[in-house]
Amino acid sequence: MVSITIKNLTKKYGKVTAVKDLNLQIKDKEFFVFLGPSGCGKTTTLFAVAGLIKVDTGEIWIGDDLVTSAEKGIFRPPQERGISMVFQDYAIYPHMNVYENIAFPLRIMKMNNLEIAQAVKKTAKLLGIAQFLDRKPRQLSGGQRQRVALGRAIVRTPKIFLMDEPLANLDAKLRVQTRTDLKRLQMNLGVTTICVTHDQVEAMVMADRIMVQRDGVVEQVGTPNELYNSPANQFVAGFVGSPEMNFIESNLIKQDKTLRLNAKGFTVCLPGEMRSKLEGHVGGEVIMGIRPDDLHENPCAVGAEPENVFRMMLELIEPVGPQLILHVKVGDVPLVAAVKDTKTRVGEGIPIEIDPKKVHVFDKKTGKSLI
Ligand SMILES: Nc1ncnc2c1ncn2[C@@H]1O[C@H](COP(=O)(O)OP(=O)(O)O)[C@@H](O)[C@H]1O
Ligand SMILES: [Mg+2]
């Protein structure tokens, strides 16, 4: 059982608080992702787990071992934590061939040559680089070099596998392929893994669970589905999902016993299920959130209530393969809708339903989700 527990972790660099009072539990064998914009504290948190930095407050447990405690003055160095790490620049040794690069951690462990040969070959095969064992890094592509770095990290089957932006140096196409490979690899190894990324799609496709960080603070921890469907606040709602969720300044009002979101130029009637959570906020200023996927053209076909169908002006179409991204305007409010197809042309009116069951409501001041 290799769970990771972080309690009340704070790390400051001078005046900057890189991580503030972080609490987190990562489960055995979980593929866990730290997600957030640059500078939010992802690497600092990862380095604290790895034992590459000391922290100002808090504890870190790996399984039943207390490996860091600022209060008790405990600090186990990286080599005593059973971790393996892949860095963003995946520094592999240029003068060693692929075989020796992967073998390197085993040579340090003084493993015998026969065992090393078996482990290196098995790892290289797993990563699809068995045919390159004699090559030097400069004779490899970026993607192959990345695999060598991965190979070196997993060859001695670590207790915990840590990766800091492992795909950042790969070109777009290779990144898409490699993230799938990483997920498969992690499933096969069954090793508790933390991966850092600023790319929300990468996080969503790879992770069992994700921690979203901002300015050193945890915004939400959840499965990709939870983050997408039930974002805890406007920041997470905006960070996860592409194209981004629409945010519309609104007033929450009650009329004819129905709660409504009153925006500039249109009003959305909310379903009865939301009433208990929202009733206390009637009269308040809120932010309505609606994902582009939840704006439906052809409202008749989806059985929409006419009161939530609005005539919008189609201003721009962006074709992105399986979807068309429609830039529309309702009143003065610009919205983005994602649809499969449309017969409407730019400059024409288009009836679109705002799916009321999919509407998010955020407190305007705090950004917290109210539903
Ligand atoms: N060694 C350091 N010295 C001073 N400030 C640092 C150091 N490392 C990180 N920081 C600061 O701490 C904050 C968090 O950094 P980091 O954890 O690297 O963010 P991320 O990995 O999410 O981009 C940033 O404001 C960064 O500038
Ligand atoms: Mg970083």
Side-chain angles (χ1 to χ4, degrees), residues 46 56-57 119 229 235 285:
L46 192 76
D56 296 299
T57 70
N229 294 315
F235 177 77
E285 291 187 343

Side-chain angles (χ1 to χ4, degrees), residues 163-181:
M163 296 184 277
D164 192 357
E165 308 257 6
L167 309 177
N169 287 338
L170 304 180
D171 64 50
K173 193 161 176 209
L174 200 53
R175 242 183 0 238
V176 170
Q177 186 198 328
T178 312
R179 73 188 187 208
T180 310
D181 293 347

